[in-house]
Amino acid sequence: MAPERPGSVAPSPGGSILLVEDSPTVRLVMERHLRGAGLNVLSFGSPDSALRFAASHPLDIDLVVTDVVMPRMSGPAMVAELRRRIPTVPVLFVSGHAPSAELLDGPLLNKPFTRNELLAAVRQALPEACGANAGT
């Protein structure tokens, strides 16, 4: 994930990106890229901690960015649980593996990716996300 020229992503008004990545190094790099683009990032190292947060703050989540393969609970399993609480929340999956497309309920960004590729994928997902949870 080499640094590139800055790209612009409009911040999500009143909400945040729920980032779930079990690798501390990858999570830190992704956080820096997203925050550097002006986004509010709620970062978690496990699906369990992200689900606990979401249970008490569902309206604070505009977009979920999650790894696919994680210990104890996969990204798709976490998203299925999360969507019981927030049915319309958009998701961007990231993976260094080649998951089966049927397992994913959202777009996939393959690792390794650049800063601009991450921001472009988030930019595509954010228009759906902005205001999607209002009134939920």
Side-chain angles (χ1 to χ4, degrees):
M1 290 187 249
E4 294 184 9
R5 294 180 306 168
S8 70
V9 175
S12 181
S16 301
I17 292 178
L18 183 72
L19 174 63
V20 188
E21 169 61 61
D22 62 307
S23 167
T25 304
V26 174
R27 187 172 63 251
L28 179 62
V29 170
M30 291 175 70
E31 282 179 52
R32 286 183 180 165
H33 291 334
L34 295 168
R35 286 189 176 130
L39 295 161
N40 186 30
V41 180
L42 305 161
S43 181
F44 297 91
S46 74
D48 291 334
S49 58
L51 287 170
R52 280 192 299 275
F53 173 84
S56 57
H57 299 88
L59 296 179
D60 293 340
I61 302 168
D62 282 328
L63 174 67
V64 176
V65 177
T66 183
D67 193 5
V68 173
V69 178
M70 293 181 282
R72 293 183 297 281
M73 182 184 288
S74 71
M78 181 202 66
V79 167
E81 178 65 29
L82 183 63
R83 284 197 168 144
R84 290 186 189 129
R85 295 180 183 111
I86 316 169
T88 61
V89 69
V91 176
L92 171 63
F93 290 101
V94 296
S95 183
H97 306 281
S100 174
E102 307 85 58
L103 297 176
L104 303 180
D105 188 15
L108 173 67
L109 178 62
N110 289 303
K111 297 177 187 175
F113 48 80
T114 66
R115 175 187 185 278
N116 284 351
E117 289 168 336
L118 172 63
L119 296 180
V122 167
R123 187 181 307 116
Q124 287 180 345
L126 274 174
E128 297 174 32
C130 293
N133 297 323
T136 302

